[in-house]
Amino acid sequence: MRIFKLFVVLLIALGVIVACAPAPTPVPTPAPPTAAPKPTDAPKPTAVPATAAPQPTTAPQPTAAPKPTEAPKPAATVNITVWYPLPTAGTLKEAMDALVAKFNAANQGVKVELVLTGNYGQNFEKILASASANTLPDAAMVELLQIPQLASANQLLALDDLSKDADFKFDDLAPALLGNSYWNNKLYAIPWQRSTTMMFINRDAFKAAGLDPDKPPLTWDDARKMSQTLLAKNANAYPMTGAIASDWAFEGQLLSFGGSLLSKDGKTATYNSPEALTAVNVWRDMSQKDKTLSIRGFNDFGAVVTDFIAGKNVMLMHSIFSRAQIERDAKFDWDVAAIPGGPAGPVLNAGGGNFVIFGKTTPEKQKAAWTFLKWMTAPENTAEYSIKSGYLPVRTSALKVQAMVDYGKQSPKTLKAIELAFKYGKSRAVSAVFEKAINQYMNPALQDILLGTAEPKAALDAAAKKSNDALQ
């Protein structure tokens, strides 16, 4: 046993000795033989690219001269035709011709041909005939009472949008002249050759009769008294006269007594009212009883001015435009004044014509016509026409135009007349059938009454009944 144990111990000791012995050193692996490097080939010389021989330089081609720039072609001129109610000669025609020539020279894009068409009535008849034949011009001037009839027949261009042009300055138009430019709340016309009624007095005759010419009559009571004084001084002359047997003068008289020709809705004739009877009887009494008022018909519209200038009458009821003729021809000291009035005060009834543009002309011509209307109603141009013609300027700013200021210094009566017109001016009645329903019956009745051949109430009642039948 002991031998066995000793043998085990010897085995263990031998294991320990083996475990603790150092590891044997590795034998280096012999490197493989390296192939000898091949000799490097000498670099081939770089081929030099062959350079093309320079081509001979081509002489530059001569530069072509630039073509001259063509001047821009002017816009094509738009030719328009404007009908105008004037006689073929005289101061008014000369004034209009001068303005149209100036417009054509200054506005290369528009050329206006002004065609004269007689008086207002003849002008309107031609317009109605041309409307039926579809041959209307591009624009026209028409008497203000005729505007509603043309507008209601869709013959006119509404100007509301055009009038908003900033350079037109609509608010500068005289308010007293705009009332008859509308129909059914639309603007169809621009005032131009406008007037009001006006009274002219012979200052020398006033002084000779012991009357103060600076205090002309403002009421019919005063007019009646002064007329008797004047008649006493000169029994061979009627102190007052006028072509007043017509709707224009009578409407002003009626308005001054608080009446009107038509009801506000335009459907009833009211020219036979109590106010109308009072108004017409004032004139009738002065004419028939006092023999101080010479009443003439509308056909004597020019003759009464001639008579006044000749000294046959002391006070003349007429249009403001006759101021130019009186100023030129009268050999006595004269003046302007308001026409005497009734309880509502003096009224200077509006009159004259307005420019219109026809609705069926082309848009291009409508635009050209508007250019013409704007130019004509510019302050300096309406001032020029007022000075030459005697009509009212249609803009309040025209009174500040230097030419008008200078003219006012030479002729203070002109400025006085304009101030009176703007102060007492009233618009006329508006009806699309004024001529057909009112004038056709009222004017003959007025003439019969004022000439003393008919009783006022019976004549006015009969005429008004016919008017009302026509208005239905």
Side-chain angles (χ1 to χ4, degrees):
M1 187 64 167
R2 288 178 64 180
I3 295 169
F4 178 74
K5 290 180 180 182
L6 179 59
F7 180 73
V8 172
V9 171
L10 288 173
L11 284 174
I12 295 170
L14 180 62
V16 171
I17 293 170
V18 171
C20 294
T25 303
V27 177
T29 303
T34 304
K38 294 182 178 179
T40 304
D41 293 336
K44 295 181 179 179
T46 303
V48 177
T51 304
Q55 298 295 321
T57 304
T58 304
Q61 296 295 323
T63 304
K67 295 182 178 179
T69 305
E70 293 184 2
K73 294 182 179 178
T77 299
V78 180
N79 296 292
I80 61 171
T81 302
V82 180
W83 284 8
Y84 204 91
L86 273 183
T88 55
T91 303
L92 299 183
K93 180 182 181 301
E94 292 169 3
M96 277 301 297
D97 284 347
L99 280 172
V100 171
K102 189 185 296 184
F103 171 83
N104 285 338
N107 294 272
Q108 297 299 316
V110 181
K111 185 175 182 181
V112 171
E113 180 188 9
L114 197 71
V115 177
L116 304 184
T117 51
N119 59 33
Y120 283 125
Q122 294 165 334
N123 180 63
F124 193 52
E125 289 175 3
K126 291 177 182 176
I127 288 174
L128 294 179
S130 295
S132 298
N134 201 25
T135 57
L136 281 168
D138 305 303
M141 196 188 74
V142 298
E143 203 275 334
L144 54 87
L145 290 180
Q146 299 159 352
I147 294 168
Q149 184 172 342
L150 295 174
S152 64
N154 297 319
Q155 297 292 347
L156 303 182
L157 177 70
L159 304 176
D160 301 85
D161 291 338
L162 291 170
S163 68
K164 295 175 184 174
D165 286 356
D167 60 348
F168 181 61
K169 298 180 180 177
F170 180 83
D171 292 342
D172 185 37
L173 293 174
L177 306 181
L178 275 171
N180 293 99
S181 294
Y182 291 88
W183 174 250
N184 283 346
N185 299 317
K186 286 188 176 181
L187 180 71
Y188 284 102
I190 300 299
W192 172 244
Q193 187 168 280
R194 294 302 300 271
S195 62
T196 65
T197 51
M198 185 67 58
M199 190 164 81
F200 299 87
I201 68 170
N202 183 327
R203 291 177 61 91
D204 290 343
F206 261 63
K207 293 176 182 175
L211 299 173
D212 185 352
D214 292 323
K215 295 180 180 178
L218 287 177
T219 69
W220 282 107
D221 288 340
D222 290 341
R224 199 167 183 174
K225 295 175 184 175
M226 290 185 183
S227 294
Q228 290 169 339
T229 301
L230 291 165
L231 183 64
K233 180 65 178 179
N234 183 1
N236 297 319
Y238 277 97
M240 296 189 76
T241 191
I244 58 176
S246 67
D247 57 284
W248 186 32
F250 179 62
E251 185 178 30
Q253 174 79 340
L254 184 50
L255 290 170
S256 80
F257 278 83
S260 61
L261 297 182
L262 283 167
S263 59
K264 290 184 178 179
D265 61 6
K267 296 180 179 179
T268 306
T270 56
Y271 59 79
N272 61 333
S273 65
E275 293 83 1
L277 289 172
T278 303
V280 77
N281 277 327
V282 168
W283 286 352
R284 179 183 165 96
D285 288 347
M286 290 182 67
S287 174
Q288 299 298 314
K289 295 180 180 178
D290 299 351
K291 306 297 182 185
T292 56
L293 174 60
S294 171
I295 296 176
R296 312 278 285 274
F298 208 71
N299 290 336
D300 288 334
F301 198 68
V304 293
V305 179
T306 304
D307 287 350
F308 176 74
I309 291 172
K312 295 181 180 179
N313 307 103
V314 180
M315 292 182 277
L316 167 67
M317 292 176 281
H318 208 263
S319 166
I320 189 174
F321 86 81
S322 60
R323 186 263 315 155
Q325 181 182 354
I326 294 169
E327 186 169 52
R328 184 187 65 222
D329 297 338
K331 305 302 180 187
F332 51 82
D333 188 16
W334 59 278
D335 209 343
V336 294
I339 291 177
V347 169
L348 299 178
N349 212 20
N354 289 1
F355 276 127
V356 299
I357 299 175
F358 291 102
K360 292 182 181 177
T361 192
T362 66
E364 183 183 38
K365 288 178 177 286
Q366 289 174 353
K367 183 179 179 182
W370 177 248
T371 299
F372 176 62
L373 266 61
K374 280 202 300 185
W375 188 91
M376 289 292 282
T377 55
E380 61 272 18
N381 296 327
T382 186
E384 178 180 331
Y385 193 61
S386 177
I387 291 169
K388 292 181 177 178
S389 70
Y391 282 104
L392 291 166
V394 299
R395 292 186 179 277
T396 54
S397 63
L399 298 176
K400 299 179 181 177
V401 172
Q402 191 58 49
M404 182 63 85
V405 173
D406 293 342
Y407 186 71
K409 293 176 182 176
Q410 300 172 18
S411 175
K413 294 166 187 172
T414 297
L415 295 184
K416 183 178 180 180
I418 294 171
E419 290 170 357
L420 288 170
F422 286 174
K423 180 178 181 180
Y424 295 115
K426 296 287 186 184
S427 299
R428 300 205 60 186
V430 176
S431 170
V433 290
F434 196 93
E435 295 288 340
K436 177 182 176 182
I438 304 299
N439 280 352
Q440 177 180 189
Y441 305 113
M442 185 181 73
N443 281 342
L446 280 175
Q447 294 203 29
D448 291 342
I449 292 167
L450 295 173
L451 294 176
T453 60
E455 287 300 316
K457 181 170 175 41
L460 289 180
D461 283 347
K465 183 179 184 308
K466 294 177 182 177
S467 290
N468 286 328
D469 291 343
L471 289 168
Q472 301 305 313

